[in-house]
Short mmCIF file of all heavy atoms in Angstrom, two decimals:
data_model
loop_
_atom_site.label_atom_id
_atom_site.label_comp_id
_atom_site.label_asym_id
_atom_site.label_seq_id
_atom_site.Cartn_x
_atom_site.Cartn_y
_atom_site.Cartn_z
N PHE A 1 14.65 -0.43 7.09
CA PHE A 1 15.44 0.60 6.40
C PHE A 1 14.59 1.83 6.11
O PHE A 1 15.01 2.96 6.35
CB PHE A 1 16.03 0.02 5.11
CG PHE A 1 16.77 1.02 4.28
CD1 PHE A 1 18.06 1.41 4.63
CD2 PHE A 1 16.19 1.59 3.16
CE1 PHE A 1 18.75 2.35 3.87
CE2 PHE A 1 16.86 2.52 2.40
CZ PHE A 1 18.15 2.90 2.76
N ASN A 2 13.39 1.61 5.57
CA ASN A 2 12.52 2.75 5.24
C ASN A 2 12.16 3.56 6.47
O ASN A 2 12.17 4.80 6.45
CB ASN A 2 11.23 2.25 4.58
CG ASN A 2 11.48 1.67 3.19
OD1 ASN A 2 12.54 1.90 2.61
ND2 ASN A 2 10.52 0.92 2.67
N ALA A 3 11.83 2.86 7.56
CA ALA A 3 11.42 3.56 8.78
C ALA A 3 12.58 4.34 9.39
O ALA A 3 12.41 5.47 9.85
CB ALA A 3 10.87 2.56 9.79
N LEU A 4 13.77 3.74 9.36
CA LEU A 4 14.94 4.41 9.94
C LEU A 4 15.33 5.62 9.10
O LEU A 4 15.67 6.69 9.63
CB LEU A 4 16.10 3.42 10.06
CG LEU A 4 17.35 3.87 10.83
CD1 LEU A 4 16.97 4.36 12.22
CD2 LEU A 4 18.35 2.74 10.93
N LYS A 5 15.25 5.46 7.78
CA LYS A 5 15.56 6.57 6.89
C LYS A 5 14.55 7.70 7.08
O LYS A 5 14.91 8.89 7.16
CB LYS A 5 15.55 6.09 5.44
CG LYS A 5 15.96 7.14 4.42
CD LYS A 5 15.96 6.53 3.02
CE LYS A 5 16.33 7.58 1.97
NZ LYS A 5 16.30 7.01 0.60
N GLY A 6 13.27 7.35 7.18
CA GLY A 6 12.24 8.35 7.40
C GLY A 6 12.36 9.04 8.75
O GLY A 6 12.04 10.23 8.89
N ALA A 7 12.84 8.30 9.76
CA ALA A 7 12.95 8.86 11.11
C ALA A 7 13.91 10.05 11.14
O ALA A 7 13.77 10.95 11.98
CB ALA A 7 13.42 7.79 12.09
N LEU A 8 14.87 10.09 10.23
CA LEU A 8 15.82 11.20 10.20
C LEU A 8 15.12 12.53 9.92
O LEU A 8 15.63 13.60 10.28
CB LEU A 8 16.89 10.96 9.12
CG LEU A 8 17.86 9.80 9.39
CD1 LEU A 8 18.76 9.58 8.18
CD2 LEU A 8 18.70 10.09 10.63
N ARG A 9 13.92 12.48 9.31
CA ARG A 9 13.18 13.69 9.00
C ARG A 9 12.06 13.96 10.01
O ARG A 9 11.21 14.81 9.79
CB ARG A 9 12.58 13.58 7.59
CG ARG A 9 13.61 13.43 6.49
CD ARG A 9 12.98 13.51 5.10
NE ARG A 9 12.11 12.37 4.84
CZ ARG A 9 12.50 11.21 4.32
NH1 ARG A 9 13.79 11.04 4.02
NH2 ARG A 9 11.65 10.24 4.09
N GLN A 10 12.05 13.19 11.11
CA GLN A 10 10.95 13.29 12.08
C GLN A 10 11.42 13.85 13.42
O GLN A 10 10.81 13.59 14.46
CB GLN A 10 10.29 11.91 12.24
CG GLN A 10 9.55 11.49 10.97
CD GLN A 10 9.47 9.98 10.78
OE1 GLN A 10 9.75 9.20 11.69
NE2 GLN A 10 9.07 9.56 9.58
N ASP A 11 12.49 14.62 13.40
CA ASP A 11 13.00 15.33 14.57
C ASP A 11 13.21 14.41 15.78
O ASP A 11 12.73 14.68 16.87
CB ASP A 11 12.03 16.47 14.94
CG ASP A 11 12.59 17.36 16.05
OD1 ASP A 11 13.82 17.52 16.11
OD2 ASP A 11 11.79 17.86 16.87
N PRO A 12 13.95 13.28 15.59
CA PRO A 12 14.17 12.39 16.72
C PRO A 12 15.41 12.81 17.53
O PRO A 12 16.32 13.45 17.01
CB PRO A 12 14.42 11.05 16.05
CG PRO A 12 15.15 11.43 14.80
CD PRO A 12 14.56 12.77 14.36
N ASP A 13 15.43 12.48 18.78
CA ASP A 13 16.64 12.56 19.59
C ASP A 13 17.29 11.19 19.69
O ASP A 13 18.51 11.08 19.79
CB ASP A 13 16.32 13.08 21.00
CG ASP A 13 15.78 14.49 20.97
OD1 ASP A 13 16.56 15.41 20.71
OD2 ASP A 13 14.56 14.67 21.20
N MET A 14 16.47 10.16 19.72
CA MET A 14 16.98 8.81 19.84
C MET A 14 16.12 7.86 19.02
O MET A 14 14.90 8.00 18.97
CB MET A 14 16.97 8.39 21.32
CG MET A 14 17.60 7.04 21.58
SD MET A 14 16.35 5.78 21.76
CE MET A 14 17.32 4.44 22.39
N MET A 15 16.75 6.91 18.34
CA MET A 15 16.06 5.90 17.55
C MET A 15 16.48 4.52 18.00
O MET A 15 17.66 4.27 18.21
CB MET A 15 16.39 6.07 16.06
CG MET A 15 15.78 7.31 15.43
SD MET A 15 16.43 7.63 13.77
CE MET A 15 17.95 8.48 14.18
N LEU A 16 15.50 3.64 18.15
CA LEU A 16 15.79 2.25 18.50
C LEU A 16 15.42 1.36 17.32
O LEU A 16 14.30 1.42 16.81
CB LEU A 16 14.99 1.82 19.74
CG LEU A 16 15.25 0.38 20.22
CD1 LEU A 16 15.24 0.31 21.74
CD2 LEU A 16 14.22 -0.60 19.66
N VAL A 17 16.38 0.56 16.86
CA VAL A 17 16.16 -0.38 15.77
C VAL A 17 16.11 -1.77 16.40
O VAL A 17 17.10 -2.24 16.98
CB VAL A 17 17.28 -0.32 14.72
CG1 VAL A 17 16.94 -1.21 13.54
CG2 VAL A 17 17.51 1.11 14.27
N GLY A 18 14.93 -2.44 16.30
CA GLY A 18 14.77 -3.72 16.96
C GLY A 18 15.82 -4.73 16.57
O GLY A 18 16.27 -5.52 17.40
N GLU A 19 16.23 -4.73 15.32
CA GLU A 19 17.26 -5.68 14.87
C GLU A 19 17.97 -5.13 13.66
O GLU A 19 17.33 -4.74 12.69
CB GLU A 19 16.64 -7.04 14.54
CG GLU A 19 17.67 -8.10 14.22
CD GLU A 19 17.04 -9.45 13.91
OE1 GLU A 19 15.84 -9.62 14.19
OE2 GLU A 19 17.75 -10.32 13.38
N ILE A 20 19.30 -5.08 13.73
CA ILE A 20 20.12 -4.66 12.58
C ILE A 20 20.45 -5.92 11.79
O ILE A 20 21.23 -6.76 12.24
CB ILE A 20 21.38 -3.92 13.05
CG1 ILE A 20 20.99 -2.61 13.73
CG2 ILE A 20 22.30 -3.66 11.87
CD1 ILE A 20 22.15 -1.84 14.32
N ARG A 21 19.84 -6.05 10.60
CA ARG A 21 19.90 -7.31 9.87
C ARG A 21 20.82 -7.29 8.66
O ARG A 21 21.28 -8.34 8.22
CB ARG A 21 18.49 -7.68 9.38
CG ARG A 21 17.48 -7.85 10.50
CD ARG A 21 16.11 -8.13 9.94
NE ARG A 21 15.14 -8.43 10.99
CZ ARG A 21 13.86 -8.66 10.79
NH1 ARG A 21 13.39 -8.61 9.55
NH2 ARG A 21 13.04 -8.93 11.78
N ASP A 22 21.06 -6.12 8.09
CA ASP A 22 21.81 -6.10 6.83
C ASP A 22 22.62 -4.82 6.74
O ASP A 22 22.52 -3.93 7.59
CB ASP A 22 20.85 -6.19 5.63
CG ASP A 22 19.69 -5.21 5.75
OD1 ASP A 22 19.94 -4.03 6.06
OD2 ASP A 22 18.53 -5.63 5.55
N LYS A 23 23.43 -4.73 5.70
CA LYS A 23 24.34 -3.59 5.59
C LYS A 23 23.60 -2.29 5.31
O LYS A 23 24.08 -1.22 5.68
CB LYS A 23 25.42 -3.86 4.55
CG LYS A 23 25.02 -3.71 3.11
CD LYS A 23 26.27 -3.86 2.25
CE LYS A 23 26.06 -3.36 0.84
NZ LYS A 23 27.29 -3.41 0.05
N GLU A 24 22.42 -2.37 4.66
CA GLU A 24 21.65 -1.14 4.42
C GLU A 24 21.20 -0.53 5.74
O GLU A 24 21.27 0.69 5.94
CB GLU A 24 20.43 -1.44 3.52
CG GLU A 24 20.76 -1.71 2.07
CD GLU A 24 21.31 -3.10 1.84
OE1 GLU A 24 21.16 -3.96 2.75
OE2 GLU A 24 21.90 -3.34 0.76
N THR A 25 20.71 -1.38 6.66
CA THR A 25 20.27 -0.89 7.96
C THR A 25 21.46 -0.38 8.77
O THR A 25 21.37 0.66 9.44
CB THR A 25 19.55 -2.01 8.74
OG1 THR A 25 18.52 -2.56 7.92
CG2 THR A 25 18.92 -1.46 10.01
N VAL A 26 22.59 -1.09 8.71
CA VAL A 26 23.80 -0.62 9.39
C VAL A 26 24.20 0.75 8.84
O VAL A 26 24.53 1.67 9.60
CB VAL A 26 24.97 -1.62 9.22
CG1 VAL A 26 26.27 -1.01 9.75
CG2 VAL A 26 24.68 -2.91 9.96
#
């Protein structure tokens, strides 16, 4: 969750999440 949230501020075009485990990550 922390990494995905932080990635929004890191100018990504595409993000890969190894595993969506919970509703926060979803």
Side-chain angles (χ1 to χ4, degrees):
F1 176 78
N2 291 344
L4 189 54
K5 184 178 178 181
L8 292 174
R9 299 187 293 272
Q10 292 152 13
D11 187 32
D13 297 288
M14 185 260 192
M15 290 170 277
L16 182 143
V17 186
E19 186 179 347
I20 295 176
R21 300 176 174 177
D22 48 47
K23 78 174 196 176
E24 288 77 16
T25 308
V26 171

